[in-house]
PDB file of all heavy atoms in Angstrom:
ATOM      1  N   LYS V   5       2.450  10.913   4.655  1.00  0.00           N
ATOM      2  CA  LYS V   5       2.576  11.233   6.074  1.00  0.00           C
ATOM      3  C   LYS V   5       1.261  11.114   6.850  1.00  0.00           C
ATOM      4  O   LYS V   5       1.241  10.571   7.947  1.00  0.00           O
ATOM      5  CB  LYS V   5       3.188  12.617   6.249  1.00  0.00           C
ATOM      6  CG  LYS V   5       2.559  13.726   5.435  1.00  0.00           C
ATOM      7  CD  LYS V   5       3.388  14.986   5.499  1.00  0.00           C
ATOM      8  CE  LYS V   5       2.908  16.065   4.570  1.00  0.00           C
ATOM      9  NZ  LYS V   5       1.480  16.365   4.610  1.00  0.00           N
ATOM     10  N   ARG V 137       4.463  27.009  17.069  1.00  0.00           N
ATOM     11  CA  ARG V 137       5.787  26.365  16.979  1.00  0.00           C
ATOM     12  C   ARG V 137       6.500  26.383  18.327  1.00  0.00           C
ATOM     13  O   ARG V 137       7.082  25.379  18.746  1.00  0.00           O
ATOM     14  CB  ARG V 137       6.647  27.081  15.929  1.00  0.00           C
ATOM     15  CG  ARG V 137       6.302  26.723  14.501  1.00  0.00           C
ATOM     16  CD  ARG V 137       7.184  27.487  13.540  1.00  0.00           C
ATOM     17  NE  ARG V 137       6.788  27.296  12.160  1.00  0.00           N
ATOM     18  CZ  ARG V 137       7.284  27.972  11.135  1.00  0.00           C
ATOM     19  NH1 ARG V 137       8.209  28.902  11.344  1.00  0.00           N
ATOM     20  NH2 ARG V 137       6.895  27.742   9.897  1.00  0.00           N
ATOM     21  N   SER V 153       4.473  17.862   8.543  1.00  0.00           N
ATOM     22  CA  SER V 153       4.347  19.185   7.922  1.00  0.00           C
ATOM     23  C   SER V 153       4.944  19.169   6.523  1.00  0.00           C
ATOM     24  O   SER V 153       5.928  18.482   6.269  1.00  0.00           O
ATOM     25  CB  SER V 153       5.061  20.245   8.770  1.00  0.00           C
ATOM     26  OG  SER V 153       4.967  21.512   8.149  1.00  0.00           O
ATOM     27  N   HIS V 154       4.316  19.912   5.599  1.00  0.00           N
ATOM     28  CA  HIS V 154       4.899  20.069   4.262  1.00  0.00           C
ATOM     29  C   HIS V 154       5.759  21.336   4.212  1.00  0.00           C
ATOM     30  O   HIS V 154       6.402  21.613   3.211  1.00  0.00           O
ATOM     31  CB  HIS V 154       3.797  20.142   3.195  1.00  0.00           C
ATOM     32  CG  HIS V 154       2.928  21.357   3.304  1.00  0.00           C
ATOM     33  ND1 HIS V 154       1.926  21.465   4.248  1.00  0.00           N
ATOM     34  CD2 HIS V 154       2.929  22.524   2.624  1.00  0.00           C
ATOM     35  CE1 HIS V 154       1.341  22.650   4.126  1.00  0.00           C
ATOM     36  NE2 HIS V 154       1.933  23.302   3.147  1.00  0.00           N
ATOM     37  N   ILE V 155       5.760  22.104   5.329  1.00  0.00           N
ATOM     38  CA  ILE V 155       6.601  23.307   5.417  1.00  0.00           C
ATOM     39  C   ILE V 155       7.949  22.879   6.008  1.00  0.00           C
ATOM     40  O   ILE V 155       8.090  22.714   7.220  1.00  0.00           O
ATOM     41  CB  ILE V 155       5.933  24.394   6.291  1.00  0.00           C
ATOM     42  CG1 ILE V 155       4.527  24.709   5.800  1.00  0.00           C
ATOM     43  CG2 ILE V 155       6.784  25.675   6.305  1.00  0.00           C
ATOM     44  CD1 ILE V 155       3.665  25.466   6.791  1.00  0.00           C
ATOM     45  N   LEU V 156       8.931  22.675   5.142  1.00  0.00           N
ATOM     46  CA  LEU V 156      10.194  22.075   5.590  1.00  0.00           C
ATOM     47  C   LEU V 156      11.024  23.010   6.467  1.00  0.00           C
ATOM     48  O   LEU V 156      11.795  22.546   7.301  1.00  0.00           O
ATOM     49  CB  LEU V 156      11.001  21.600   4.383  1.00  0.00           C
ATOM     50  CG  LEU V 156      10.328  20.492   3.563  1.00  0.00           C
ATOM     51  CD1 LEU V 156      11.227  20.025   2.448  1.00  0.00           C
ATOM     52  CD2 LEU V 156       9.934  19.308   4.429  1.00  0.00           C
ATOM     53  N   SER V 157      10.853  24.316   6.297  1.00  0.00           N
ATOM     54  CA  SER V 157      11.566  25.254   7.174  1.00  0.00           C
ATOM     55  C   SER V 157      11.055  25.107   8.607  1.00  0.00           C
ATOM     56  O   SER V 157      11.806  25.241   9.572  1.00  0.00           O
ATOM     57  CB  SER V 157      11.372  26.691   6.695  1.00  0.00           C
ATOM     58  OG  SER V 157       9.984  27.011   6.630  1.00  0.00           O
ATOM     59  N   GLU V 158       9.767  24.801   8.760  1.00  0.00           N
ATOM     60  CA  GLU V 158       9.158  24.558  10.074  1.00  0.00           C
ATOM     61  C   GLU V 158       9.737  23.298  10.704  1.00  0.00           C
ATOM     62  O   GLU V 158      10.089  23.291  11.885  1.00  0.00           O
ATOM     63  CB  GLU V 158       7.643  24.407   9.893  1.00  0.00           C
ATOM     64  CG  GLU V 158       6.877  24.078  11.151  1.00  0.00           C
ATOM     65  CD  GLU V 158       5.383  24.164  10.937  1.00  0.00           C
ATOM     66  OE1 GLU V 158       4.848  25.275  11.066  1.00  0.00           O
ATOM     67  OE2 GLU V 158       4.756  23.140  10.621  1.00  0.00           O
ATOM     68  N   VAL V 159       9.849  22.247   9.908  1.00  0.00           N
ATOM     69  CA  VAL V 159      10.416  20.975  10.375  1.00  0.00           C
ATOM     70  C   VAL V 159      11.847  21.195  10.871  1.00  0.00           C
ATOM     71  O   VAL V 159      12.242  20.716  11.928  1.00  0.00           O
ATOM     72  CB  VAL V 159      10.398  19.925   9.237  1.00  0.00           C
ATOM     73  CG1 VAL V 159      11.142  18.661   9.650  1.00  0.00           C
ATOM     74  CG2 VAL V 159       8.969  19.588   8.854  1.00  0.00           C
ATOM     75  N   SER V 160      12.614  21.965  10.085  1.00  0.00           N
ATOM     76  CA  SER V 160      14.007  22.246  10.423  1.00  0.00           C
ATOM     77  C   SER V 160      14.130  22.989  11.752  1.00  0.00           C
ATOM     78  O   SER V 160      15.048  22.748  12.529  1.00  0.00           O
ATOM     79  CB  SER V 160      14.641  23.078   9.298  1.00  0.00           C
ATOM     80  OG  SER V 160      16.011  23.200   9.489  1.00  0.00           O
ATOM     81  N   GLN V 161      13.179  23.891  12.033  1.00  0.00           N
ATOM     82  CA  GLN V 161      13.212  24.694  13.261  1.00  0.00           C
ATOM     83  C   GLN V 161      12.767  23.915  14.498  1.00  0.00           C
ATOM     84  O   GLN V 161      13.266  24.141  15.587  1.00  0.00           O
ATOM     85  CB  GLN V 161      12.307  25.921  13.103  1.00  0.00           C
ATOM     86  CG  GLN V 161      12.868  26.983  12.172  1.00  0.00           C
ATOM     87  CD  GLN V 161      11.860  28.093  11.923  1.00  0.00           C
ATOM     88  OE1 GLN V 161      11.140  28.503  12.823  1.00  0.00           O
ATOM     89  NE2 GLN V 161      11.796  28.567  10.700  1.00  0.00           N
ATOM     90  N   ILE V 162      11.812  22.998  14.322  1.00  0.00           N
ATOM     91  CA  ILE V 162      11.194  22.330  15.471  1.00  0.00           C
ATOM     92  C   ILE V 162      11.808  20.971  15.784  1.00  0.00           C
ATOM     93  O   ILE V 162      12.012  20.624  16.941  1.00  0.00           O
ATOM     94  CB  ILE V 162       9.659  22.155  15.238  1.00  0.00           C
ATOM     95  CG1 ILE V 162       8.980  23.520  15.133  1.00  0.00           C
ATOM     96  CG2 ILE V 162       9.024  21.345  16.361  1.00  0.00           C
ATOM     97  CD1 ILE V 162       7.513  23.451  14.754  1.00  0.00           C
ATOM     98  N   VAL V 166      14.305  13.880  11.330  1.00  0.00           N
ATOM     99  CA  VAL V 166      13.398  14.048  10.185  1.00  0.00           C
ATOM    100  C   VAL V 166      13.275  12.745   9.411  1.00  0.00           C
ATOM    101  O   VAL V 166      14.262  12.051   9.179  1.00  0.00           O
ATOM    102  CB  VAL V 166      13.922  15.152   9.220  1.00  0.00           C
ATOM    103  CG1 VAL V 166      13.013  15.295   8.014  1.00  0.00           C
ATOM    104  CG2 VAL V 166      14.051  16.481   9.944  1.00  0.00           C
ATOM    105  N   MET V 167      12.023  12.416   9.023  1.00  0.00           N
ATOM    106  CA  MET V 167      11.768  11.306   8.096  1.00  0.00           C
ATOM    107  C   MET V 167      11.168  11.919   6.839  1.00  0.00           C
ATOM    108  O   MET V 167      10.161  12.634   6.923  1.00  0.00           O
ATOM    109  CB  MET V 167      10.778  10.305   8.693  1.00  0.00           C
ATOM    110  CG  MET V 167      11.283   9.587   9.912  1.00  0.00           C
ATOM    111  SD  MET V 167       9.995   8.564  10.674  1.00  0.00           S
ATOM    112  CE  MET V 167       9.818   7.275   9.459  1.00  0.00           C
ATOM    113  N   ILE V 168      11.770  11.652   5.690  1.00  0.00           N
ATOM    114  CA  ILE V 168      11.249  12.184   4.428  1.00  0.00           C
ATOM    115  C   ILE V 168      10.584  11.044   3.665  1.00  0.00           C
ATOM    116  O   ILE V 168      11.203  10.032   3.352  1.00  0.00           O
ATOM    117  CB  ILE V 168      12.360  12.846   3.583  1.00  0.00           C
ATOM    118  CG1 ILE V 168      12.871  14.095   4.315  1.00  0.00           C
ATOM    119  CG2 ILE V 168      11.848  13.209   2.196  1.00  0.00           C
ATOM    120  CD1 ILE V 168      13.986  14.831   3.614  1.00  0.00           C
ATOM    121  N   PRO V 180      17.963  17.240  10.854  1.00  0.00           N
ATOM    122  CA  PRO V 180      17.899  18.276   9.812  1.00  0.00           C
ATOM    123  C   PRO V 180      19.288  18.743   9.388  1.00  0.00           C
ATOM    124  O   PRO V 180      19.553  18.940   8.204  1.00  0.00           O
ATOM    125  CB  PRO V 180      17.115  19.411  10.482  1.00  0.00           C
ATOM    126  CG  PRO V 180      16.315  18.765  11.533  1.00  0.00           C
ATOM    127  CD  PRO V 180      17.145  17.614  12.021  1.00  0.00           C
ATOM    128  N   GLU V 184      20.900  18.552   5.631  1.00  0.00           N
ATOM    129  CA  GLU V 184      21.313  19.788   4.970  1.00  0.00           C
ATOM    130  C   GLU V 184      22.783  19.727   4.542  1.00  0.00           C
ATOM    131  O   GLU V 184      23.152  20.185   3.467  1.00  0.00           O
ATOM    132  CB  GLU V 184      21.072  20.986   5.890  1.00  0.00           C
ATOM    133  CG  GLU V 184      19.593  21.342   6.016  1.00  0.00           C
ATOM    134  CD  GLU V 184      19.267  22.232   7.214  1.00  0.00           C
ATOM    135  OE1 GLU V 184      20.220  22.685   7.889  1.00  0.00           O
ATOM    136  OE2 GLU V 184      18.072  22.452   7.476  1.00  0.00           O
ATOM    137  N   THR V 264      19.463  24.145   2.654  1.00  0.00           N
ATOM    138  CA  THR V 264      18.196  24.060   3.377  1.00  0.00           C
ATOM    139  C   THR V 264      17.630  22.645   3.289  1.00  0.00           C
ATOM    140  O   THR V 264      18.052  21.843   2.450  1.00  0.00           O
ATOM    141  CB  THR V 264      17.162  25.041   2.781  1.00  0.00           C
ATOM    142  OG1 THR V 264      16.886  24.636   1.421  1.00  0.00           O
ATOM    143  CG2 THR V 264      17.685  26.465   2.798  1.00  0.00           C
ATOM    144  N   LEU V 265      16.642  22.381   4.143  1.00  0.00           N
ATOM    145  CA  LEU V 265      15.981  21.074   4.134  1.00  0.00           C
ATOM    146  C   LEU V 265      15.216  20.882   2.822  1.00  0.00           C
ATOM    147  O   LEU V 265      15.076  19.762   2.335  1.00  0.00           O
ATOM    148  CB  LEU V 265      15.037  20.974   5.335  1.00  0.00           C
ATOM    149  CG  LEU V 265      14.678  19.571   5.831  1.00  0.00           C
ATOM    150  CD1 LEU V 265      15.913  18.744   6.139  1.00  0.00           C
ATOM    151  CD2 LEU V 265      13.785  19.654   7.049  1.00  0.00           C
ATOM    152  N   GLU V 266      14.713  21.999   2.250  1.00  0.00           N
ATOM    153  CA  GLU V 266      14.019  21.932   0.959  1.00  0.00           C
ATOM    154  C   GLU V 266      14.955  21.376  -0.117  1.00  0.00           C
ATOM    155  O   GLU V 266      14.556  20.528  -0.920  1.00  0.00           O
ATOM    156  CB  GLU V 266      13.522  23.323   0.525  1.00  0.00           C
ATOM    157  CG  GLU V 266      12.264  23.790   1.226  1.00  0.00           C
ATOM    158  CD  GLU V 266      12.560  24.557   2.508  1.00  0.00           C
ATOM    159  OE1 GLU V 266      13.721  24.520   2.973  1.00  0.00           O
ATOM    160  OE2 GLU V 266      11.626  25.173   3.042  1.00  0.00           O
ATOM    161  N   GLU V 267      16.209  21.858  -0.108  1.00  0.00           N
ATOM    162  CA  GLU V 267      17.189  21.384  -1.094  1.00  0.00           C
ATOM    163  C   GLU V 267      17.490  19.898  -0.886  1.00  0.00           C
ATOM    164  O   GLU V 267      17.628  19.147  -1.856  1.00  0.00           O
ATOM    165  CB  GLU V 267      18.480  22.203  -0.983  1.00  0.00           C
ATOM    166  CG  GLU V 267      18.345  23.619  -1.508  1.00  0.00           C
ATOM    167  CD  GLU V 267      19.582  24.458  -1.226  1.00  0.00           C
ATOM    168  OE1 GLU V 267      19.909  24.659  -0.041  1.00  0.00           O
ATOM    169  OE2 GLU V 267      20.200  24.912  -2.199  1.00  0.00           O
ATOM    170  N   ALA V 268      17.576  19.492   0.386  1.00  0.00           N
ATOM    171  CA  ALA V 268      17.827  18.073   0.700  1.00  0.00           C
ATOM    172  C   ALA V 268      16.670  17.219   0.186  1.00  0.00           C
ATOM    173  O   ALA V 268      16.873  16.148  -0.400  1.00  0.00           O
ATOM    174  CB  ALA V 268      17.994  17.891   2.205  1.00  0.00           C
ATOM    175  N   PHE V 269      15.442  17.707   0.398  1.00  0.00           N
ATOM    176  CA  PHE V 269      14.237  16.989  -0.034  1.00  0.00           C
ATOM    177  C   PHE V 269      14.222  16.840  -1.556  1.00  0.00           C
ATOM    178  O   PHE V 269      14.025  15.744  -2.088  1.00  0.00           O
ATOM    179  CB  PHE V 269      12.992  17.745   0.437  1.00  0.00           C
ATOM    180  CG  PHE V 269      11.694  17.116   0.019  1.00  0.00           C
ATOM    181  CD1 PHE V 269      11.229  15.976   0.658  1.00  0.00           C
ATOM    182  CD2 PHE V 269      10.941  17.651  -1.015  1.00  0.00           C
ATOM    183  CE1 PHE V 269      10.032  15.390   0.265  1.00  0.00           C
ATOM    184  CE2 PHE V 269       9.751  17.072  -1.409  1.00  0.00           C
ATOM    185  CZ  PHE V 269       9.293  15.941  -0.759  1.00  0.00           C
ATOM    186  N   ILE V 270      14.466  17.950  -2.272  1.00  0.00           N
ATOM    187  CA  ILE V 270      14.467  17.928  -3.742  1.00  0.00           C
ATOM    188  C   ILE V 270      15.562  16.998  -4.260  1.00  0.00           C
ATOM    189  O   ILE V 270      15.347  16.232  -5.198  1.00  0.00           O
ATOM    190  CB  ILE V 270      14.628  19.367  -4.314  1.00  0.00           C
ATOM    191  CG1 ILE V 270      13.363  20.184  -4.009  1.00  0.00           C
ATOM    192  CG2 ILE V 270      14.905  19.348  -5.814  1.00  0.00           C
ATOM    193  CD1 ILE V 270      13.537  21.690  -4.115  1.00  0.00           C
TER     194      ILE V 270
END
Side-chain angles (χ1 to χ4, degrees):
K5 49 190 173 49
R137 282 179 187 171
S153 178
H154 66 282
I155 306 164
L156 297 184
S157 57
E158 177 171 274
V159 173
S160 189
Q161 287 173 39
I162 297 174
V166 178
M167 295 173 70
I168 294 179
E184 287 163 7
T264 64
L265 203 55
E266 282 90 347
E267 288 173 298
F269 179 75
I270 292 162

